[in-house]
Amino acid sequence: MTSIDSLLKEPRLSQDVTICGWVRTFRSNRFIALNDGSTLNNLQCVVDFEQMGEDTLRRITTGAALRVSGTLVESQGRGQSLEIQVKTLEVLGDSDPEKYPIQPKKHSMEFLREQAHLRIRTNTFGAVMRVRSALAFAVHRYFTSHGFYYFHAPIITGSDAEGAGEMFRVSTLDPRNPPLTPEGIIDYKQDFFGKETNLTVSGQLEAEAYAMALGKVYTFGPTFRAENSNTSRHLAEFWMIEPEMAFYDLDANMDLAEEFIQEVLRYVLDHCREDLEFLENRLLDEEKSKPQAERSAMKLTDKLRFVTDQPFRRVTYTEAIDILKQSAPNRKKKFQYPIEGWGTDLQSEHERYLVEKHFESPVILFNYPAEIKAFYMRLNEDGKTVRAMDILFPGIGEIVGGSQREERLEVLQQKMQQMDIDEKELWWYLDLRRFGTAVHSGFGLGFERLVQFTTGMGNIRDVIPFPRTPQNAEF
Ligand code: 4AD
Ligand code: MG
């Protein structure tokens, strides 16, 4: 058996081949478009009515699984270069054409989300998921070839790395009748782990321990956030890539993030041409149905080159606030969240203004106010900003969040006190500052946001196989 992808790449003309796949369409009782998922392209299989018999022909319906053997020849018809002249055909699995949800027509993304187990059989989702796979490979390739070790952070953890309190509890206690302490609160000492545990929101704190021994490490795994954000850029379960490097300061961290993203995107530009071309055309079609003012001027691959072919602009938070304050949309009260002054967090409308309108390039914002960032970020000499950096992309807003970490024990302890974080919970994290502390840095890249950017999909739910969002954990 051969895959359609390898047949098309290295056609062995006039030879007998066998392929398996699913029927996309069947026309004129003669032409089967077969797809096996190895590539966007279908392979046309030409059957002979007389030879097949009516019973078999009737079973060749959209969605059915077939095994086909025959001779690979140059196609007479238009629309494809090769076809198989079928000698034998076996229906492996029938599909009721009346009931099969994926008809050969355009379906809405909302409908396909409800059919997430079958939507991968469409051109769009096939392309997205192949690109997703290539991106994941490119991530590992980059780090492996740059001296990083792949490290697996635990999924179940006792600590809230981001301090945002958006965690999913992990417990085996009976929710109807939990054991209580004398004070009447749930007694987690009697729970499975003997303490409160949650699904991790980030592998960073554990990655820091590993960086302080192996030098350069990265995690790439699922993370969980119970934030009730029903947006096109938030998932309750998403994959995050988190490199962590000993002896890197913020500038080195930014250099790495920029080079890493550019190299990963170059990899898919080189290796996923067909799928990207398909996704680009799909977007162009979609654009045509939008009003002129909302159309994007950039094609998908232009957008990718917008990132790979120019340096990211590095701007301090303070500079960004000045730009935003004086910006036309702020003066005309067009922002949903007006920029009032220094110290407020930026919303994605502000981030996108900076990237898409003001700088017209990817932007790295750094040195944020300490109050709006996590406890572990290194305090600057001014005493009010921290060495944080966010990378902002067109259409997406924040794609990376990272920082230089606070390596000074006393400063970190003080910060934890201010933010009401229990030292006892993070005793081991403080140990890293007690024994051989050093400057170190890292960042987190939301993998689905990267896939979203690369494929041009409008909703993050359409770039992860089975999305988990508020009120939705089907499949
Ligand atoms: O900015 P965040 O919260 O940073 C951290 O978790 C750090 N501990 C990372 C580090 O320094 N090692 O999240 C990092 C990135 C965001 O920039 C965004 O791309 C993505 O993770 N992200 C989400 N993606 C999808 N759905 C969500 N709910 C996300 N929350 C964050
Ligand atoms: Mg962030």
Side-chain angles (χ1 to χ4, degrees), residues 22-27 31-35 42-45:
W22 295 270
V23 178
R24 285 291 173 86
T25 56
F26 185 35
R27 306 184 276 118
F31 303 106
I32 307 168
L34 203 67
N35 188 284
N42 302 328
L43 190 54
Q44 172 153 291
C45 305

Side-chain angles (χ1 to χ4, degrees), residues 17-275:
V17 295
T18 299
I19 58 168
C20 294
W22 295 270
V23 178
R24 285 291 173 86
T25 56
F26 185 35
R27 306 184 276 118
S28 320
N29 261 347
R30 193 164 161 74
F31 303 106
I32 307 168
L34 203 67
N35 188 284
D36 69 357
S38 62
T39 158
L40 183 73
N41 299 298
N42 302 328
L43 190 54
Q44 172 153 291
C45 305
V46 188
V47 293
D48 181 64
F49 182 84
E50 301 296 313
Q51 185 197 347
M52 280 307 131
E54 212 161 315
D55 275 354
T56 308
L57 282 178
R58 211 177 300 122
R59 294 173 64 199
I60 305 174
T61 59
T62 300
L66 308 183
R67 177 186 286 127
V68 172
S69 299
T71 319
L72 191 67
V73 297
E74 273 180 54
S75 177
Q76 308 302 310
R78 298 197 318 172
Q80 67 279 319
S81 55
L82 299 171
E83 63 190 26
I84 292 181
Q85 224 96 66
V86 177
K87 288 182 183 158
T88 62
L89 181 150
E90 187 186 346
V91 180
L92 302 172
D94 293 281
S95 171
D96 183 342
E98 301 290 308
K99 295 197 180 128
Y100 185 54
I102 311 296
Q103 295 295 322
K105 62 161 195 170
K106 220 178 161 81
H107 293 290
S108 76
M109 287 293 136
E110 288 77 13
F111 169 79
L112 288 171
R113 251 167 248 153
E114 290 166 10
Q115 305 292 330
H117 59 311
L118 297 172
R119 69 177 179 175
I120 327 114
R121 299 189 196 178
T122 63
N123 283 337
T124 299
F125 283 92
V128 167
M129 293 306 159
R130 279 186 296 270
V131 171
R132 183 182 165 108
S133 172
L135 279 169
F137 173 74
V139 166
H140 288 299
R141 193 178 87 135
Y142 177 86
F143 286 123
T144 312
S145 62
H146 286 80
F148 282 71
Y149 292 108
Y150 182 26
F151 143 80
H152 301 95
I155 303 290
I156 300 173
T157 153
S159 45
D160 178 2
E162 291 304 296
E166 291 158 340
M167 296 185 297
F168 290 100
R169 172 160 291 141
V170 175
S171 170
T172 53
L173 294 178
D174 179 356
R176 282 155 307 185
N177 186 24
L180 300 178
T181 64
E183 292 81 40
I185 51 174
I186 297 179
D187 184 8
Y188 286 106
K189 286 216 177 62
Q190 296 185 46
D191 203 347
F192 188 91
F193 296 107
K195 61 183 290 195
E196 273 193 78
T197 48
N198 299 287
L199 294 179
T200 188
V201 295
S202 156
Q204 178 199 321
L205 303 192
E206 289 88 355
E208 282 185 53
Y210 268 67
M212 296 309 278
L214 298 181
K216 294 196 287 188
V217 298
Y218 71 106
T219 74
F220 185 177
T223 45
F224 306 86
R225 295 200 185 173
E227 50 191 335
N228 206 358
S229 322
N230 255 312
T231 79
S232 59
R233 297 171 308 110
H234 286 88
L235 291 163
E237 177 180 289
F238 63 99
W239 286 63
M240 193 165 21
I241 297 146
E242 296 183 273
E244 189 72 33
M245 299 76 64
F247 317 117
Y248 271 50
D249 64 9
L250 190 69
D251 285 327
N253 199 20
M254 293 196 265
D255 292 343
L256 174 83
E258 182 173 332
E259 184 191 77
F260 161 63
I261 294 177
Q262 288 182 331
E263 206 169 299
V264 164
L265 290 181
R266 268 186 221 118
Y267 179 86
V268 285
L269 276 167
D270 287 347
H271 290 83
C272 304
R273 286 199 197 156
E274 273 173 2
D275 285 324

Side-chain angles (χ1 to χ4, degrees), residues 270-306:
D270 287 347
H271 290 83
C272 304
R273 286 199 197 156
E274 273 173 2
D275 285 324
L276 288 179
E277 191 190 359
F278 171 82
L279 291 165
E280 176 163 289
N281 289 332
R282 177 189 166 271
L283 281 178
L284 289 174
D285 270 357
E286 210 172 66
E287 291 286 311
K288 281 186 203 140
S289 62
K290 285 187 191 163
Q292 192 78 37
E294 284 170 35
R295 287 187 199 170
S296 160
M298 255 193 263
K299 291 196 300 186
L300 181 63
T301 47
D302 290 344
K303 252 199 317 203
L304 300 185
R305 293 207 178 85
F306 176 87

Side-chain angles (χ1 to χ4, degrees), residues 373 390 398 401:
K373 289 291 182 187
D390 278 6
E398 178 193 337

